[in-house]
Amino acid sequence: QVQLVESGGGLVQPGGSLRLSCSASGNIQSITRMGWYREAPGREREFVASFTEGRPPNYADSVKGRFLIYMDGHMSVWLEMKSLKPEDTAVYFCNVYAHADYAILPMDYWGKGTLVTVSP
C-alpha cells in the first residue's frame, strides 16, 4: 500500500511561519505529483500547492508569495509557510498522484492530515 506521513503542524501566531513535510512510502512505481490541500472548519477541502514532474510549482492565489513547495528527493514534499494568517487555519492534507505496484492505473492518495492553527 501507499502510505503518506505528514508532520509539522501546530499553533503559530499571525505573521509566523511553519514548515510541513510529507513522506511517501510503500510499493510505488512512480510519483507524478505531490502537493497539499487544506480543509478549514465548515469549508470544503481546497487546493494549496503542488509539484508536478517536469513543471513549475503551482499555488493557490491565496498563498502565492507566502508559501513555498519543494521536493526532497522523489518521495518527500515540503510546504514552507510564511506570513501566516488566521484564515490559513485548517487541517492540511498531503496528496500524491502515484502509480502503485498493485494498481493498474495511477491514482490519488491522501495523508491523514496535520492541523495548522494561526491565532494570537
Side-chain angles (χ1 to χ4, degrees), residues 20-100:
L20 307 181
S21 68
C22 173
S23 294
S25 63
N27 301 320
I28 301 172
Q29 285 188 18
S30 62
I31 294 177
T32 303
R33 183 187 69 240
M34 296 189 80
W36 295 90
Y37 284 70
R38 66 186 181 186
E39 192 170 315
R43 301 185 64 177
E44 293 186 354
R45 190 171 299 187
E46 64 176 8
F47 169 77
V48 176
S50 67
F51 208 108
T52 301
E53 184 178 3
R55 297 181 182 180
N58 190 26
Y59 296 95
D61 288 341
S62 59
V63 306
K64 281 182 180 177
R66 300 188 298 120
F67 289 12
L68 175 69
I69 186 171
Y70 59 94
M71 300 282 292
D72 180 9
H74 296 288
M75 303 284 275
S76 296
V77 63
W78 295 77
L79 186 67
E80 192 91 35
M81 305 184 294
K82 297 181 179 180
S83 302
L84 283 162
K85 306 174 182 179
E87 50 263 45
D88 294 317
T89 295
V91 177
Y92 284 70
F93 295 90
C94 180
N95 168 256
V96 169
Y97 186 72
H99 193 173

